[in-house]
Amino acid sequence: MGPQRCGGLLATGRPPKLDDAQVEKVRAALEQGAQAHGFEADLWTLERVGLVVERVTGVKLARASVWRLLTGRLGWTLQRPQRRAVERDASEIARWVTHEWPRIKRGR
C-alpha cells in the first residue's frame, strides 16, 4: 500500500489505526462521561480513554496514540480540575483578605 491522499496532500507514514466510523463511536462513548463507563470520578485520563477505545473498537492504543486521537482527531484540549480544599470557607477568606492582609502588608 503506497502513500494516501489527504486533503490534496500526500500523507506519509502509517495509516491511522482507527477509521472515521470508529473515531465517531469513541467520540460518542467519551461524551457519555467517565462515570457512564464505570469510573468513580467523571474525569478522563489517557489510561481511561485507552480502555474505552479498546472496549468500543477492539483496538489497543499506546498512550501517545490516545493523546493524538484526543487532540488531533477529536479536537479535545487538556483541562485540569481545580484543586480546592473541601474545608474552604468563603466568608473566612473574605474576612482575611479585608482585615488581615492589609495589616500584614503594612507590617504591623
Side-chain angles (χ1 to χ4, degrees):
M1 181 176 207
Q4 298 176 332
R5 287 220 166 262
C6 178
L9 301 174
L10 264 180
T12 58
R14 178 178 294 174
K17 287 187 174 185
L18 300 176
D19 62 29
D20 291 343
Q22 289 171 312
V23 170
E24 287 310 310
K25 284 183 185 176
V26 170
R27 180 190 309 274
L30 296 179
E31 285 175 351
Q32 293 172 350
Q35 288 177 323
H37 292 278
F39 299 109
E40 189 174 322
D42 210 11
L43 177 73
W44 286 115
T45 64
L46 292 177
E47 290 80 11
R48 289 178 176 187
V49 172
L51 288 171
V52 171
V53 168
E54 192 170 359
R55 286 181 200 158
V56 170
T57 66
V59 176
K60 184 174 178 78
L61 296 178
R63 284 174 50 116
S65 296
V66 172
W67 177 255
R68 282 191 301 274
L69 169 67
L70 288 172
T71 59
R73 296 185 75 187
L74 293 176
W76 285 29
T77 59
L78 174 66
Q79 298 179 4
R80 296 185 189 269
Q82 288 186 344
R83 298 188 187 276
R84 288 200 168 154
V86 175
E87 306 85 8
R88 220 175 129 89
D89 181 347
S91 63
E92 178 58 22
I93 293 169
R95 185 201 66 75
W96 188 90
V97 168
T98 304
H99 300 296
E100 300 299 321
W101 176 241
R103 182 183 61 77
I104 293 169
K105 199 170 168 185
R106 285 191 307 263
R108 297 184 185 176

